[in-house]
Amino acid sequence: AMRQRMEEGARPTNLKRGPGGVVDIEFIVQMLQLVHGGRDERLRTPETLSGLDLLHAAGHLSDGRHEFLGRAYRTLRAIEGGLRLLDAPARHDLPTAVDDQRRLAQLLGYDAPDRLVADVVIWRTSPVFGPHTLMKFNLSIVRRITVTT
């Protein structure tokens, strides 16, 4: 329900609160830290990328999921940073105007705006972030916490 409320207040282009956005990646990391950090203090870090690396090193994230989530997080955060540098009015929304996309893509080292947009689509439409996957992930974590406490 909380996830749905966050999405309702966000535009479809929102890179932070929309599906497959920064918040989803942070949620996955924090939930895994919650489950495994009680027994393994090394997993307790407030930094999302460090948390991803620590969870992977401890065997709680597969190689593929670790790489995917890390690349998605870095890309989305780089876009947000680029939007701030361009002084965009909506700092968490991927621009829809071609000229704005071109400026952002150029700033981030993309040779064309359509490649930037394609990367964002790949990250945000992955089954990793689908509502069914996140709900299943959330329920399995709740079960683990209930069983182990």
Side-chain angles (χ1 to χ4, degrees):
M2 182 169 49
R3 178 74 184 106
Q4 187 176 12
R5 283 194 306 265
M6 279 192 337
E7 282 183 31
E8 286 172 359
R11 296 178 186 174
T13 55
N14 191 288
L15 301 171
K16 185 171 185 166
R17 294 181 294 151
V22 170
V23 169
D24 282 347
I25 298 168
E26 291 171 345
F27 169 80
I28 289 169
V29 172
Q30 291 168 6
M31 287 295 104
L32 286 171
Q33 287 174 315
L34 183 63
V35 169
H36 302 291
R39 292 182 296 264
D40 188 349
E41 291 181 18
R42 296 171 299 163
L43 301 177
R44 300 177 195 172
T45 178
E47 300 169 0
T48 300
L49 289 172
S50 295
L52 273 172
D53 292 342
L54 292 168
L55 289 161
H56 177 252
H60 303 299
L61 276 174
S62 68
D63 292 344
R65 183 134 322 161
H66 170 255
E67 181 182 340
F68 177 85
L69 291 172
R71 287 182 63 203
Y73 191 78
R74 284 181 191 90
T75 300
L76 295 171
R77 284 299 194 185
I79 293 169
E80 287 179 335
L83 291 169
R84 280 191 292 281
L85 288 173
L86 294 173
D87 202 25
R91 297 198 172 155
H92 298 293
D93 291 333
L94 185 67
T96 54
V98 176
D99 285 342
D100 293 340
Q101 288 178 352
R102 186 175 297 112
R103 287 181 32 223
L104 180 60
Q106 206 170 33
L107 179 67
L108 297 174
Y110 284 85
D111 58 358
D114 57 331
R115 294 203 179 193
L116 169 64
V117 173
D119 271 359
V120 171
V121 169
I122 288 169
W123 304 132
R124 300 198 59 212
T125 59
S126 167
V128 170
F129 300 119
H132 176 71
T133 303
L134 288 175
M135 186 185 329
K136 183 178 173 186
F137 179 79
N138 193 19
L139 290 174
S140 70
I141 287 174
V142 169
R143 283 189 199 110
R144 287 183 199 164
I145 291 171
T146 306
V147 170
T148 58
T149 55

